[in-house]
Amino acid sequence: MSHPIDDPWSCRIARDATGLLHEFNDAGVLEAADVHTAQRLCVLGKETDESVALALALTVRALRTGSVCVELASVAGSAELPELAWPEPTAWLAAVRASSLVTEQVLRLYDIASGGLLYLDRYWREEEQVCADLLALSTPHAGAAEPAAFERLFPPEYHEQRTAAEIALTQAVTVLTGGPGTGKTTTVARLLALLAEQAEASGRPGLRIALAAPTGKAAARLTEAVAGEVSRLDPVDQARLDGLQASTLHSLLGSRPGNSSRFKHNRANRLPHDVVVVDETSMVSLTLMARLLEAVRPTARLILVGDPDQLASVEAGAVLADLVDGLAARPGTRVATLATAHRYKKPIGELAAAIRVGDGDTVIDLLRSGDEHREWIDVDGPAALADQLAAIAVPHALRVREAALFGDAREALRNLDEHRLLCAHRDGPHGANHWNRQVRRWVSERTGDTAWADWYAGRPLLVTANDYGLGVRNGDTGVVTAHSEGLRAVIATASGPVDFATGRLSDVDSMYAMTIHKSQGSEADAVTVLMPPVESRLLTRELFYTAVTRAKHKVRVVGSEEEIRAALNRRAVRASGLALRLREA
């Protein structure tokens, strides 16, 4: 959604903009950065057509909002501010096609039936590369396993997981999808045991396996989940999979300090692994997927695991959803899908299923049902909202603080994972930053602690940037605990809890509340979801679904019926050509 810029001194205003760029900037469709980028590139490309400048600015805006391209016919025909002077689609596309910016490949145009998709050159190249590398890797495998091994690892009660494993054995690249608790990790662990046995039988013992996820928290959860599944296997299978540790994708690829888009492992220096498993693939951006695919050995197996109904990466792309759409349409390629939920409490699974299909009446009925695992809090006004959230968040914060004061780091971390307060926004009255400050004030009023202290026992922590020296990753969580030598920050990493002197950590926030985007890849026993206002552009079905599925035992939804129904009726649509490329290649 776009809103007119009312403040004449706002930094969102591009003061030297004229014509269409000025009109669309003033209406709030374009930000100043979109306008300035378009102006600069048009000057460099000697492009004077203002409709081309508008198309370029909209392409930059699309990247900012998660798309990798913009479909000109679609954006011109949308209901967004129809009173603006949108160019006529056919003439607009012709002007862009004739532009020197396209002929010189600053912009790239992908012709489709409804018109064209317009890209900046980098994202065009990355999308082409992902498509080409996926198809090059997607060679058939003669992968039938010994019937006895299949029966041992996938007995009758694992029929869905067995079908998924059968698909994976026949393909070098497998997309494994399913909602929360459907057994994705069970499938992966048992499939890895099967592959390890096959490798051993063919004279190649010691299958080299890499487990990875986009964030540190997701990697830690993957390590724990796989270890739990492996512990249920026969001793011989446990021995083959002993010591598997997940890492972040950045760590797997070999991060280069100061360069977030290039890695040590690449086409000239491939990863050594025979099998690469990536969990939470919905969070992987187009750029990161391009870097992964160019680093995977041509003979390796790649297993991409995730839930396409969750929020996509905060960066450009909706890669998992594109892979599901594109690969499933190719002859001879199958997507492995798990549908039956096993782990979550049934009431949460029912709610998640209704959200996923956008069934507003069922969602409202389920929330009104009064089940102990679902709660709906519809408050009237900010004071009532504050009272409700204080009653929920403060007791939890005090439990974390009590364990931290005793120096019991494991108990403090366990208590921390009992509850999450999730917000759509980072800033503003409904944002995580606001509620972090508010809960901190409430806690200090109860304890007498200094409210403005940066470090104190019981402070919940969220790591906000990778620190390769310390071995902590963006998304890791932790808590400050008291020790005889002073305060220590204990962080739950993919390899287990580690503690540091507080002065060694710089990029951390308090985590009394967190954004729903940041919560991806993690779970909590109970989750409280604070719905944003109806006019929020972040209020989508995918956001609501992602938030609800972070809960293992109880979910509270704080918001009005209007906000809930608005979320269900609004999809997070990202423009991309990857699925189309995969279908047509």
Side-chain angles (χ1 to χ4, degrees):
M1 290 185 179
S2 302
H3 302 283
I5 304 174
D6 298 323
D7 180 4
W9 303 106
S10 171
C11 62
R12 298 170 58 200
I13 293 178
R15 303 193 183 285
D16 60 345
T18 59
L20 288 175
L21 291 180
H22 169 74
E23 181 179 352
F24 280 71
N25 176 225
D26 191 54
V29 174
L30 299 175
E31 298 286 329
D34 308 330
V35 174
H36 294 319
T37 302
Q39 288 175 320
R40 184 60 179 160
L41 288 177
C42 284
V43 168
L44 293 174
K46 298 182 173 59
E47 176 56 68
T48 58
D49 190 323
E50 64 175 353
S51 70
V52 175
L54 176 62
L56 174 50
L58 289 170
T59 306
V60 177
R61 177 218 193 199
L63 291 168
R64 223 175 7 86
T65 56
S67 295
V68 296
C69 58
V70 63
E71 184 177 359
L72 296 181
S74 175
V75 73
S78 72
E80 183 180 20
L81 299 175
E83 68 274 12
L84 293 177
W86 292 96
E88 192 281 320
T90 303
W92 196 10
L93 185 62
V96 170
R97 184 176 285 112
S99 171
S100 62
L101 294 175
V102 171
T103 58
E104 295 297 326
Q105 298 185 346
V106 175
L107 292 173
R108 296 293 197 109
L109 193 60
Y110 183 19
D111 287 312
I112 58 176
S114 60
L117 302 176
L118 189 63
Y119 297 75
L120 293 182
D121 179 65
R122 168 188 162 178
Y123 294 93
W124 164 277
R125 290 177 181 272
E126 287 181 345
E127 198 172 89
E128 275 202 324
Q129 182 218 309
V130 166
C131 180
D133 284 346
L134 269 174
L135 296 182
L137 288 169
S138 297
T139 55
H141 273 225
E146 288 294 327
F150 244 124
E151 291 302 325
R152 186 183 78 253
L153 291 164
F154 295 96
E157 62 267 29
Y158 291 94
H159 62 279
E160 273 192 357
Q161 289 77 16
R162 176 173 182 147
T163 301
E166 288 171 343
I167 291 173
L169 286 176
T170 65
Q171 302 175 168
V173 177
T174 299
V175 176
L176 173 62
T177 70
T182 53
K184 298 189 293 293
T185 306
T186 299
T187 305
V188 167
R190 292 173 179 268
L191 174 61
L192 291 177
L194 201 61
L195 293 172
E197 180 174 308
Q198 279 187 318
E200 194 173 278
S202 63
R204 295 181 291 108
L207 189 72
R208 293 169 294 183
I209 299 169
L211 303 178
T215 68
K217 189 65 176 178
R221 193 175 126 207
L222 178 60
T223 298
E224 181 182 0
V226 169
E229 293 297 334
V230 170
S231 70
R232 298 184 179 94
L233 302 179
D234 291 347
V236 64
D237 297 309
Q238 292 181 31
R240 291 178 179 129
L241 301 180
D242 183 51
L244 284 179
Q245 288 280 330
S247 67
T248 64
L249 272 171
H250 286 77
S251 294
L252 175 68
L253 295 173
S255 296
R256 292 178 174 176
N259 191 331
S260 61
S261 61
R262 292 292 170 181
F263 299 90
K264 295 174 184 175
H265 287 289
N266 49 43
R267 213 174 292 282
N269 180 30
R270 305 273 188 163
L271 290 166
H273 304 94
D274 303 305
V275 182
V276 177
V277 178
V278 179
D279 196 18
E280 299 289 351
T281 307
S282 64
M283 299 167 64
V284 178
S285 68
L286 177 66
T287 297
L288 190 54
M289 182 59 70
R291 301 292 84 80
L292 171 66
L293 291 174
E294 69 185 13
V296 172
R297 292 167 58 223
T299 56
R301 287 183 182 272
L302 178 62
I303 303 170
L304 302 172
V305 185
D307 184 348
D309 294 308
Q310 285 189 20
L311 286 169
S313 166
V314 294
E315 299 176 49
V319 175
L320 181 60
D322 286 341
L323 296 187
V324 171
D325 290 344
L327 292 178
R330 291 185 59 80
T333 304
R334 290 186 291 170
V335 172
T337 302
L338 303 175
T340 304
H342 304 281
R343 186 181 73 246
Y344 278 15
K345 295 293 183 183
K346 184 179 179 181
I348 298 177
E350 290 173 341
L351 180 60
I355 293 171
R356 186 172 59 245
V357 298
D359 186 346
D361 291 340
T362 299
V363 169
I364 296 299
D365 289 344
L366 290 172
L367 289 174
R368 282 177 174 156
S369 66
D371 186 277
E372 62 178 320
H373 302 291
R374 297 181 299 240
E375 183 179 353
W376 181 14
I377 301 174
D378 186 0
V379 295
D380 185 14
L385 174 61
D387 289 343
Q388 289 282 355
L389 293 185
I392 295 166
V394 173
H396 172 247
L398 292 176
R399 287 194 298 274
V400 174
R401 177 181 181 272
E402 182 178 10
L405 283 171
F406 280 108
D408 190 342
R410 290 191 178 276
E411 180 68 7
L413 290 173
R414 189 190 69 77
N415 289 345
L416 185 65
D417 285 339
E418 287 180 349
H419 178 258
R420 292 282 190 275
L421 173 58
L422 301 182
C423 307
H425 293 270
R426 184 176 59 183
D427 300 311
H430 286 76
N433 288 343
H434 168 77
W435 291 108
N436 268 317
R437 293 189 296 269
Q438 185 60 64
V439 176
R440 172 58 182 147
R441 283 195 292 268
W442 289 331
V443 171
S444 66
E445 289 169 2
R446 291 282 297 273
T447 63
D449 293 341
T450 304
W452 54 86
D454 289 333
W455 297 101
Y456 50 89
R459 180 190 177 191
L461 299 174
L462 175 66
V463 177
T464 58
N466 295 329
D467 188 322
Y468 302 105
L470 295 181
V472 298
R473 300 291 183 263
N474 185 7
D476 285 347
T477 59
V479 66
V480 178
T481 61
H483 287 264
S484 56
E485 65 270 24
L487 295 176
R488 305 286 291 182
V490 183
I491 305 296
T493 71
S495 56
V498 293
D499 72 282
F500 308 98
T502 56
R504 298 184 67 192
L505 289 172
S506 55
D507 296 306
V508 291
D509 285 339
S510 293
M511 199 190 68
Y512 294 110
M514 69 189 305
T515 64
I516 295 169
H517 263 105
K518 282 284 188 182
S519 75
Q520 283 186 271
S522 67
E523 291 178 331
D525 293 337
V527 161
T528 300
V529 184
L530 180 57
M531 302 295 285
V534 170
E535 62 270 17
S536 168
R537 67 176 182 84
L538 298 182
L539 185 63
T540 63
R541 188 187 305 176
E542 290 78 5
L543 178 106
F544 193 15
Y545 175 83
T546 300
V548 165
T549 54
R550 300 309 91 203
K552 291 191 287 187
H553 299 294
K554 180 166 186 175
V555 60
R556 298 183 190 89
V557 177
V558 182
S560 67
E561 180 173 347
E562 183 185 15
E563 289 163 349
I564 292 169
R565 289 188 180 275
L568 297 171
N569 293 330
R570 197 180 297 158
R571 302 302 305 271
V573 179
R574 292 190 169 191
S576 165
L578 180 57
L580 186 61
R581 291 178 195 269
L582 289 168
R583 289 195 296 266
E584 293 183 344

